Amino acid sequence: MWQWENATAGALAGFATVAAMHPLDVVRTRFQVYDGRGSNLPTYKNTVNAIYTITRMEILMLPLFQGLRGLYAGFYPAVLGSTVSWGLYFFFYGRAKQRYSDSGKKDLSPGLHLASAAEAGALVCFCTNPVWLVKTRMQLQSPLHQAQPYSGLYDAFRTILREEGFAALYKGIVPSLMLQVSHGAIQFTVYEELRKVIANSRSKGTRVDAQNSRELLNSGDYAVLGGTSKIAAMLLTYPFQVVRARLQQRPGHDGIPRYMDSFHVLKETVRFEGIRGFYRGITPNLLKNVPAASITFIVYENVLKLLKLTRQKE
């Protein structure tokens, strides 16, 4: 009976995260696809230089307000994708936990937390991959881009369907699926287990269940839990993000994509860049996602508490 509250809390958490951290997401995406072998993107030395260069170049080459929007390229699909993804993720995750725990009658083991998160990640991946593909392509548009830029979210979908067909919306689905399943599973398992540890340490020796543990934690705890679980998941799964971003690039004028499939990305990256190539953009990714995860879980847990109190009053 609580799953719609989970979905609402997750959606609001996702929106808050994107609104606060989107410029770093743009920088991360541009770092991820830059392989040093020719690109329509300028070269950036580091995260600060990337932010400065994007702002300066796009203000010089575009009208003022459009130039300032360079750091918010792909913002609308990012908002849509993040809000829908988090909403669906918490919804599917909550339903899976309820099913595995026999409607809350027993505590979940770490393995069942892992299974719940993996199941939710896979379902979300199939629902949202087209939105993330559009977001990636819009973030890679710059004054140096050779193709006619997408004017917006609707134009991007229409152009992709016309020029590349429906299947193009699911480019990068394999690394995306692996990323969603493994990243979410690791993050939520670490989050849930650490939350139990903190709650049990404050319960004066009394074992608490998942619902009652929320009464013992505050926003500071959720910030630490969210950030810590995000770092653990990110370090282990980041290469999937790089592979996905490179596959989702827009084809050139000849219609031939830069990379044909996941194996092609792996082979070319190892050949020309080595293992370091799979961690391009890790710095802005950490700067974006660690505080973003903290914001997400602070908003999610507090909205969930508020909705629970509202229902109890009714």
Side-chain angles (χ1 to χ4, degrees):
M1 63 186 299
W2 292 99
Q3 303 317 312
W4 290 111
E5 283 84 346
N6 284 333
T8 302
L12 290 173
F15 176 80
T17 300
V18 173
M21 298 296 173
H22 190 75
L24 286 170
D25 190 47
V26 174
V27 172
R28 177 199 63 178
T29 302
R30 295 194 178 191
F31 270 119
Q32 286 176 339
V33 302
Y34 183 76
D35 56 13
R37 296 185 291 123
S39 173
N40 293 327
L41 296 174
T43 303
Y44 310 121
K45 297 177 181 178
N46 51 48
T47 302
V48 174
N49 175 256
I51 293 174
Y52 174 74
T53 303
I54 292 170
T55 305
R56 184 188 64 177
M57 177 174 290
E58 299 190 17
I59 285 178
L60 289 174
M61 300 184 70
L62 293 169
L64 177 60
F65 292 108
Q66 290 186 22
L68 289 173
R69 288 208 304 264
L71 291 173
Y72 277 86
F75 180 72
Y76 292 125
V79 168
L80 175 63
S82 184
T83 303
V84 172
S85 290
W86 279 111
L88 289 177
Y89 197 100
F90 282 114
F91 175 72
F92 291 138
Y93 181 61
R95 285 188 63 110
K97 285 201 303 179
Q98 187 179 46
R99 186 171 65 254
Y100 289 133
S101 66
D102 193 18
S103 299
K105 295 177 183 177
K106 61 182 181 181
D107 287 338
L108 293 181
S109 66
L112 289 177
H113 276 303
L114 193 69
S116 299
E119 178 182 318
L123 291 170
V124 169
C125 180
F126 283 109
C127 293
T128 60
N129 194 78
V131 178
W132 294 126
L133 178 133
V134 169
K135 185 212 72 157
T136 296
R137 291 191 175 188
M138 293 183 72
Q139 288 180 332
L140 295 176
Q141 293 184 150
S142 78
L144 300 180
H145 205 276
Q146 295 178 355
Q148 177 67 31
Y150 304 128
S151 61
L153 182 62
Y154 173 74
D155 180 60
F157 278 115
R158 184 180 61 180
T159 303
I160 292 168
L161 289 172
R162 184 180 70 247
E163 295 180 354
E164 303 170 64
F166 180 79
L169 295 175
Y170 281 87
K171 285 184 176 180
I173 187 64
V174 173
S176 184
L177 183 59
M178 296 175 72
L179 173 66
Q180 284 278 13
V181 172
S182 60
H183 188 99
I186 294 169
Q187 182 180 359
F188 274 80
T189 300
V190 172
Y191 181 86
E192 297 283 3
E193 294 307 307
L194 287 179
R195 186 175 71 173
K196 284 182 185 178
V197 170
I198 294 176
N200 286 326
S201 69
R202 295 180 181 173
S203 64
K204 299 179 180 179
T206 304
R207 186 175 178 80
V208 294
D209 58 26
Q211 289 297 328
N212 292 330
S213 69
R214 287 192 168 91
E215 306 301 325
L216 301 173
L217 275 64
N218 55 42
S219 293
D221 297 321
Y222 295 133
V224 173
L225 289 172
T228 302
S229 60
K230 191 68 174 181
I231 290 173
M234 193 184 309
L235 293 177
L236 293 171
T237 64
Y238 189 75
F240 293 132
Q241 293 191 40
V242 174
V243 174
R244 180 181 64 179
R246 294 187 176 193
L247 281 174
Q248 291 182 338
Q249 294 179 86
R250 190 174 183 179
H253 285 301
D254 55 7
I256 300 176
R258 190 172 184 83
Y259 298 100
M260 304 307 296
D261 52 37
S262 298
F263 179 72
H264 188 206
V265 177
L266 293 172
K267 183 177 69 173
E268 294 292 289
T269 302
V270 170
R271 179 184 176 189
F272 292 102
E273 302 167 74
I275 298 301
R276 291 181 60 185
F278 293 107
Y279 283 87
R280 283 190 180 274
I282 189 68
T283 299
N285 197 60
L286 285 167
L287 292 173
K288 168 187 177 288
N289 282 302
V290 173
S294 298
I295 293 171
T296 297
F297 281 101
I298 289 172
V299 174
Y300 170 72
E301 295 287 359
N302 282 287
V303 170
L304 198 59
K305 281 183 181 179
L306 179 62
L307 293 172
K308 182 178 179 180
L309 289 173
T310 302
R311 172 166 289 194
Q312 287 175 342
K313 289 179 181 179
E314 292 176 351

